[in-house]
């Protein structure tokens, strides 16, 4: 579902960038770039090193086209809607008593209210955001929270409140409603089930279940159609992150709102994600048993960090190569981020699980 053309000048930065945002999330970049794109090109750019080429993105990984204002809003089911700028995602539930918003990514920013306004006008319902649920505390998913004022009821895990108070960021007011394990949010005849199953991506990342809408929102775990970015989406607890998809699949749902990229997810997307991570872990264990560390420590002698780096890089490359080959054309950016993800899986297997640790005789 896309609104009418806004009338923005076709030469404006927003119009120019959002023309390609469905493919590369350029609207998110536009939100943080100062001045027109043409003015941001540095002098002598022709002399800069050539940027690398990467494998084409599978068409199945891409979402719907964005409108002229740089967003897409669509119905998930019933009165549950999702919003994307091609890189980030949010969701909202319309009720007879107002709108419940789930996450407020700053790259979508004021387009969140525009999306709500669009749906409210089409359906004859309120466009007033009365509640805002935080999936977790990270600024890239919550940094537009302050746009909705002080009177919005904010909900999050108790750890979410602690972290936001610690961060003291005025763009992310701390929740006033918190919970420990479970909380059912009742608004305007609707109910949403919030649950905490332990640390994963962050210590406060929660599962948001819409039982009447066949939908689960779980942010920064599965990026549907894509591999995770650096280090399994920059997650803080790798074993917790790895276990999260199994927990997600224990819920009944058809649609997944993952917080990133341009389309909704499916249960099949979670299956592919799990296999991808499992393949990396299997190859890491093989690499640890195969790559001999001796030459690296002999070569670098007293420079222990050089020996450690070159050895771990060799193990990482050994483990990542077959995964990149297997998933290129299946998951977008398999050739971009698999190596960095493999390194963090390697370190988790070594440090969290103790694989490869040797006791000196």
């Amino acid at each position: 579902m896309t609104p009418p053309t806004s009338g923005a000048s076709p030469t404006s930065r927003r119009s120019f960038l959002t023309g390609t945002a469905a493919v590369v999330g350029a609207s998110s970049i536009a939100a943080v770039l100062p001045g027109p794109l043409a003015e941001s090109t540095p002098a002598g750019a022709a002399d800069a090193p050539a940027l690398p080429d990467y494998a084409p993105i599978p068409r199945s990984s891409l979402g719907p086209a964005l409108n002229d204002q740089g967003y897409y809003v669509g119905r998930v089911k019933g009165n549950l809607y999702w919003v994307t700028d091609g890189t980030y995602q949010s969701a909202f539930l319309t009720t007879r008593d107002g709108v419940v918003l789930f996450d407020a990514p700053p790259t979508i920013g004021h387009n969140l209210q525009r999306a709500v306004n669009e749906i409210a006008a089409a359906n004859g319902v309120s466009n007033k955001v009365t509640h805002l649920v935080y999936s977790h505390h990270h600024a890239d998913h919550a940094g537009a929270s302050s746009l909705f004022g002080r009177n919005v009821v904010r909900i999050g895990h108790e750890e979410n409140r602690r972290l936001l108070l610690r961060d003291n960021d005025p763009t992310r007011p701390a929740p006033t409603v918190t919970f420990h394990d479970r909380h059912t949010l009742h608004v305007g005849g609707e109910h949403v089930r919030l649950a905490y199953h332990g640390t994963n991506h962050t210590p406060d990342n929660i599962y948001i279940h819409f039982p009447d809408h066949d939908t689960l929102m779980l942010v920064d775990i599965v990026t549907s159609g894509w591999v995770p970015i650096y280090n399994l989406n920059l997650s803080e607890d790798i074993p917790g992150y790895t276990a999260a998809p199994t927990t997600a699949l224990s819920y009944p749902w058809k649609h997944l709102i993952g917080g990133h990229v341009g389309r909704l997810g499916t249960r099949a997307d979670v299956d592919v994600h799990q296999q991808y991570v499992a393949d990396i872990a299997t190859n890491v264990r093989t690499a640890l048993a195969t790559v001999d560390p001796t030459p690296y420590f002999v070569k670098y002698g007293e420079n222990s960090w050089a020996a450690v780096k070159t050895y771990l890089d060799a193990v990482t490359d050994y483990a990542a190569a077959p995964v990149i080959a297997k998933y290129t054309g299946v998951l977008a950016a398999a050739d971009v981020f698999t190596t960095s993800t493999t390194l963090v899986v390697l370190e988790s297997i070594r440090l969290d699980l103790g694989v490869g640790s040797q006791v000196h005789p």
Side-chain angles (χ1 to χ4, degrees):
M1 177 183 301
T2 54
T5 301
S6 65
S9 168
T11 60
S12 72
R13 176 186 61 166
R14 182 185 298 276
S15 298
F16 178 80
L17 287 174
T18 56
T20 57
V23 179
V24 296
S27 64
S28 299
I29 299 172
V32 296
L33 282 179
L37 183 64
E39 296 176 3
S40 67
T41 303
D47 299 327
L51 295 175
D53 293 322
Y54 292 109
I57 299 300
R59 297 297 94 187
S60 60
S61 298
L62 300 177
L66 308 182
N67 63 22
D68 289 343
Q69 291 176 301
Y71 72 90
Y72 169 88
V73 59
R75 187 191 306 271
V76 182
K77 183 179 178 180
N79 54 328
L80 176 65
Y81 298 86
W82 70 295
V83 187
T84 183
D85 62 359
T87 304
Y88 281 85
Q89 299 176 358
S90 177
F92 62 90
L93 189 66
T94 61
T95 82
R96 62 173 181 252
D97 294 336
V99 176
V100 183
L101 180 65
F102 300 87
D103 275 358
T107 64
I108 305 179
H110 289 280
N111 280 338
L112 291 169
Q113 186 65 61
R114 294 186 183 104
V116 169
N117 293 346
E118 175 187 341
I119 297 302
N123 297 335
V125 297
S126 172
N127 69 343
K128 182 175 177 59
V129 175
T130 60
H131 295 71
L132 197 163
V133 176
Y134 290 127
S135 66
H136 64 299
H137 72 287
H138 279 169
D140 62 330
H141 292 277
S145 173
S146 62
L147 297 180
F148 298 93
R150 295 184 178 182
N151 294 328
V152 170
V153 177
R154 292 174 170 84
I155 304 103
H157 187 259
E158 60 188 20
E159 186 70 2
N160 178 264
R161 176 175 171 80
R162 185 190 71 79
L163 291 167
L164 287 177
L165 289 174
R166 177 203 67 181
D167 295 345
N168 193 29
D169 178 2
T171 71
R172 295 174 285 156
T176 55
V177 176
T178 63
F179 64 97
H180 181 67
D181 290 324
R182 303 284 189 277
H183 178 74
T184 300
L185 177 63
H186 295 280
V187 179
E190 304 290 337
H191 68 285
V192 182
R193 294 173 181 164
L194 313 179
Y196 179 70
H197 294 287
T199 182
N200 48 68
H201 170 63
T202 61
D204 62 328
N205 202 32
I206 62 172
Y207 297 68
I208 304 169
H209 186 218
F210 304 88
D212 297 329
H213 300 84
D214 293 334
T215 299
L216 181 71
M217 184 170 182
L218 178 62
V219 173
D220 279 338
I221 300 296
V222 177
T223 46
S224 301
W226 296 69
V227 300
I229 67 164
Y230 295 105
N231 304 345
L232 290 178
N233 288 332
L234 302 174
S235 293
E236 298 179 37
D237 183 333
I238 300 306
Y241 170 98
T242 303
T246 298
T247 302
L249 290 172
S250 71
Y251 283 82
W253 56 269
K254 181 179 179 181
H255 311 287
L256 177 69
I257 301 171
H260 278 288
V261 297
R263 69 168 175 84
L264 293 175
T266 66
R267 298 181 79 88
D269 286 318
V270 179
D271 291 337
V272 174
H273 168 91
Q274 285 183 301
Q275 188 59 57
Y276 169 79
V277 175
D279 285 346
I280 291 175
T282 297
N283 286 358
V284 162
R285 290 171 182 268
T286 299
L288 283 170
T290 302
V291 178
D292 181 6
T294 306
Y296 306 96
F297 286 88
V298 170
K299 164 73 175 176
Y300 294 105
E302 294 179 341
N303 193 344
S304 298
W305 277 178
V308 169
K309 179 187 185 302
T310 53
Y311 167 63
L312 293 180
D313 284 350
V315 173
T316 298
D317 292 342
Y318 186 102
V323 179
I324 294 171
K326 178 177 178 179
Y327 287 93
T328 295
V330 177
L331 290 175
D335 56 332
V336 180
F337 282 124
T338 296
T339 300
S340 67
T341 285
T342 301
L343 175 59
V344 77
V345 172
L346 163 63
E347 290 302 89
S348 177
I349 287 175
R350 290 178 61 246
L351 304 180
D352 294 322
L353 306 184
V355 176
S357 296
Q358 298 177 358
V359 177
H360 192 280

